Coordinates of all heavy atoms in Angstrom, one line a residue:
S1 N 254.7 139.6 167.2 CA 254.3 140.0 165.8 C 254.2 141.5 165.7 O 254.1 142.1 166.8 CB 253.1 139.3 165.3 OG 251.9 139.8 166.0
R2 N 254.2 142.0 164.5 CA 254.0 143.5 164.4 C 252.6 143.9 164.9 O 252.5 145.0 165.4 CB 254.3 143.9 163.0 CG 255.7 143.9 162.5 CD 256.0 144.7 161.3 NE 257.4 144.9 161.1 CZ 257.9 146.0 160.6 NH1 257.2 147.0 160.2 NH2 259.3 146.1 160.4
D3 N 251.6 143.1 164.7 CA 250.3 143.4 165.1 C 250.3 143.5 166.7 O 249.6 144.4 167.3 CB 249.3 142.4 164.7 CG 249.0 142.5 163.2 OD1 249.2 143.6 162.6 OD2 248.4 141.6 162.6
Q4 N 250.9 142.6 167.3 CA 251.0 142.6 168.8 C 251.8 143.8 169.3 O 251.4 144.4 170.3 CB 251.6 141.3 169.3 CG 250.8 140.1 169.1 CD 251.5 138.8 169.4 OE1 252.7 138.7 169.3 NE2 250.7 137.8 169.9
V5 N 252.8 144.2 168.6 CA 253.6 145.4 168.9 C 252.7 146.6 168.8 O 252.7 147.5 169.6 CB 254.8 145.5 168.0 CG1 255.4 146.9 168.1 CG2 255.9 144.5 168.5
S6 N 251.9 146.7 167.7 CA 251.0 147.8 167.5 C 250.0 147.9 168.6 O 249.7 149.1 169.1 CB 250.2 147.6 166.2 OG 251.1 147.7 165.1
D7 N 249.4 146.8 169.1 CA 248.5 146.9 170.2 C 249.3 147.4 171.5 O 248.7 148.3 172.2 CB 248.0 145.5 170.6 CG 246.9 145.1 169.6 OD1 246.4 146.0 168.9 OD2 246.5 143.9 169.6
L8 N 250.5 146.9 171.7 CA 251.2 147.4 172.8 C 251.5 148.9 172.8 O 251.3 149.6 173.8 CB 252.6 146.6 172.9 CG 253.6 147.1 173.9 CD1 253.0 147.0 175.3 CD2 254.9 146.3 173.8
L9 N 251.9 149.4 171.6 CA 252.2 150.8 171.5 C 251.0 151.6 171.7 O 251.0 152.7 172.3 CB 252.8 151.0 170.1 CG 254.2 150.6 169.9 CD1 254.6 150.6 168.4 CD2 255.2 151.4 170.7
F10 N 249.8 151.2 171.1 CA 248.6 152.0 171.3 C 248.2 152.1 172.7 O 247.9 153.3 173.2 CB 247.4 151.2 170.5 CG 246.1 151.9 170.7 CD1 245.8 153.0 170.1 CD2 245.2 151.3 171.6 CE1 244.5 153.6 170.3 CE2 243.9 151.9 171.8 CZ 243.6 153.0 171.1
Y11 N 248.2 151.1 173.5 CA 247.8 151.2 174.9 C 248.9 151.9 175.7 O 248.5 152.6 176.7 CB 247.5 149.8 175.5 CG 246.2 149.2 174.9 CD1 246.2 148.2 174.0 CD2 245.0 149.7 175.3 CE1 245.0 147.7 173.5 CE2 243.8 149.2 174.8 CZ 243.8 148.2 173.9 OH 242.6 147.7 173.4
A12 N 250.1 151.7 175.4 CA 251.2 152.4 176.1 C 251.1 153.9 175.9 O 251.3 154.7 176.8 CB 252.6 151.9 175.7
F13 N 250.8 154.3 174.6 CA 250.6 155.7 174.3 C 249.4 156.3 175.2 O 249.6 157.4 175.8 CB 250.3 155.9 172.8 CG 250.1 157.3 172.5 CD1 251.2 158.2 172.3 CD2 248.8 157.8 172.2 CE1 251.0 159.5 171.9 CE2 248.6 159.2 171.9 CZ 249.7 160.0 171.7
L14 N 248.3 155.6 175.2 CA 247.2 156.0 176.1 C 247.7 156.2 177.5 O 247.3 157.1 178.2 CB 246.0 155.1 176.0 CG 245.2 155.1 174.7 CD1 244.1 154.1 174.8 CD2 244.7 156.5 174.4
G15 N 248.4 155.2 178.0 CA 248.9 155.2 179.4 C 249.8 156.4 179.6 O 249.7 157.0 180.7
V16 N 250.7 156.7 178.7 CA 251.6 157.9 178.9 C 250.7 159.2 179.0 O 251.0 160.0 179.9 CB 252.6 158.0 177.7 CG1 253.3 159.3 177.7 CG2 253.6 156.9 177.8
V17 N 249.8 159.4 178.0 CA 249.1 160.6 178.0 C 248.1 160.8 179.2 O 248.1 161.8 179.9 CB 248.3 160.7 176.7 CG1 247.4 161.9 176.7 CG2 249.2 160.8 175.5
L18 N 247.3 159.7 179.4 CA 246.3 159.8 180.5 C 247.0 159.8 181.9 O 246.7 160.6 182.8 CB 245.3 158.7 180.4 CG 244.4 158.7 179.1 CD1 243.5 157.5 179.1 CD2 243.6 160.0 179.0
G19 N 247.9 158.8 182.0 CA 248.6 158.7 183.3 C 249.5 159.9 183.6 O 249.6 160.4 184.7
G20 N 250.2 160.5 182.5 CA 251.0 161.6 182.7 C 250.2 162.8 183.2 O 250.7 163.6 184.1
R21 N 249.1 163.0 182.6 CA 248.3 164.2 183.0 C 247.7 164.0 184.4 O 247.7 164.9 185.2 CB 247.1 164.5 182.0 CG 246.3 165.7 182.3 CD 247.1 166.9 182.4 NE 246.3 168.1 182.9 CZ 246.9 169.2 183.3 NH1 248.2 169.4 183.3 NH2 246.1 170.2 183.6
L22 N 247.1 162.8 184.6 CA 246.5 162.6 185.9 C 247.6 162.6 187.0 O 247.4 163.2 188.1 CB 245.8 161.2 186.0 CG 244.5 161.1 185.2 CD1 244.1 159.6 185.1 CD2 243.4 161.9 185.8
G23 N 248.8 162.1 186.7 CA 249.9 162.1 187.7 C 250.3 163.6 188.0 O 250.5 163.9 189.2
Y24 N 250.4 164.4 187.0 CA 250.7 165.8 187.3 C 249.7 166.5 188.2 O 250.1 167.2 189.2 CB 250.9 166.6 186.0 CG 251.4 168.0 186.3 CD1 252.8 168.3 186.4 CD2 250.5 169.1 186.6 CE1 253.2 169.5 186.8 CE2 251.0 170.3 186.9 CZ 252.3 170.6 187.0 OH 252.8 171.8 187.4
V25 N 248.4 166.3 187.9 CA 247.4 166.9 188.6 C 247.4 166.5 190.1 O 247.3 167.3 191.0 CB 246.0 166.7 188.0 CG1 244.9 167.2 188.9 CG2 245.9 167.4 186.6
F26 N 247.5 165.2 190.3 CA 247.4 164.6 191.6 C 248.7 164.8 192.4 O 248.7 164.9 193.7 CB 247.0 163.2 191.6 CG 245.5 163.0 191.3 CD1 245.1 162.6 190.0 CD2 244.5 163.2 192.2 CE1 243.8 162.5 189.7 CE2 243.2 163.1 191.9 CZ 242.8 162.7 190.6
F27 N 249.9 164.7 191.8 CA 251.1 164.9 192.5 C 251.5 166.3 192.7 O 252.1 166.7 193.7 CB 252.2 164.1 191.7 CG 252.1 162.6 191.6 CD1 252.5 162.0 190.5 CD2 251.5 161.9 192.7 CE1 252.4 160.6 190.4 CE2 251.4 160.6 192.6 CZ 251.8 159.9 191.5
Y28 N 251.2 167.2 191.7 CA 251.7 168.5 191.7 C 250.7 169.6 191.7 O 251.0 170.8 192.1 CB 252.6 168.8 190.5 CG 253.8 167.9 190.5 CD1 253.9 166.7 189.7 CD2 255.0 168.1 191.2 CE1 255.0 165.9 189.6 CE2 256.1 167.3 191.2 CZ 256.1 166.2 190.4 OH 257.2 165.4 190.3
G29 N 249.5 169.3 191.3 CA 248.5 170.4 191.1 C 247.1 170.1 191.8 O 246.1 170.6 191.3
W30 N 247.2 169.4 192.9 CA 245.9 169.0 193.6 C 245.1 170.2 194.0 O 243.9 170.2 193.9 CB 246.3 168.1 194.8 CG 245.1 167.6 195.6 CD1 244.7 168.0 196.8 CD2 244.1 166.7 195.1 NE1 243.6 167.3 197.2 CE2 243.2 166.5 196.2 CE3 244.0 165.9 194.0 CZ2 242.1 165.6 196.1 CZ3 242.9 165.1 193.9 CH2 242.0 164.9 194.9
Q31 N 245.8 171.2 194.5 CA 245.1 172.4 195.0 C 244.3 173.1 193.9 O 243.2 173.7 194.1 CB 246.0 173.4 195.7 CG 247.0 174.1 194.9 CD 248.3 173.3 194.7 OE1 248.3 172.0 194.7 NE2 249.4 174.0 194.6
W32 N 244.9 173.1 192.7 CA 244.3 173.8 191.5 C 243.1 172.9 191.1 O 242.1 173.5 190.6 CB 245.2 173.9 190.4 CG 246.3 174.9 190.7 CD1 246.3 176.0 191.5 CD2 247.7 174.9 190.2 NE1 247.5 176.6 191.6 CE2 248.3 176.0 190.8 CE3 248.4 174.0 189.3 CZ2 249.7 176.3 190.5 CZ3 249.7 174.3 189.1 CH2 250.3 175.4 189.6
L33 N 243.1 171.6 191.2 CA 242.0 170.8 190.8 C 240.8 171.0 191.8 O 239.7 171.0 191.4 CB 242.4 169.3 190.9 CG 241.3 168.3 190.5 CD1 240.9 168.5 189.0 CD2 241.8 166.9 190.8
L34 N 241.1 171.2 193.1 CA 240.1 171.5 194.0 C 239.4 172.9 193.7 O 238.2 173.0 193.9 CB 240.6 171.5 195.5 CG 241.1 170.2 196.0 CD1 241.7 170.4 197.4 CD2 240.0 169.1 196.0
E35 N 240.2 173.8 193.2 CA 239.6 175.1 192.9 C 238.9 175.1 191.6 O 237.9 175.8 191.4 CB 240.8 176.2 192.8 CG 241.5 176.4 194.2 CD 242.7 177.3 194.0 OE1 243.0 177.7 192.8 OE2 243.4 177.5 195.0
D36 N 239.3 174.3 190.7 CA 238.7 174.2 189.3 C 238.8 172.8 188.8 O 239.8 172.4 188.3 CB 239.4 175.2 188.4 CG 238.9 175.2 187.0 OD1 237.8 174.6 186.8 OD2 239.5 175.7 186.0

């Protein structure tokens, strides 16, 4: 249903934003996280 699609999109969007940022920091910027 459209309501189920809306739920899927909402959580997928959170996953993209949070996962994307955490992934960059841990895969590519770990040393900067340790400094700051």
Side-chain angles (χ1 to χ4, degrees):
S1 68
R2 287 199 169 213
D3 286 342
Q4 291 172 328
V5 164
S6 294
D7 282 348
L8 172 60
L9 288 167
F10 174 75
Y11 288 108
F13 179 78
L14 288 181
V16 168
V17 174
L18 297 179
R21 182 55 184 169
L22 288 170
Y24 184 87
V25 170
F26 287 102
F27 294 147
Y28 299 99
W30 181 250
Q31 68 273 32
W32 294 329
L33 181 66
L34 294 177
E35 295 172 2
D36 178 15

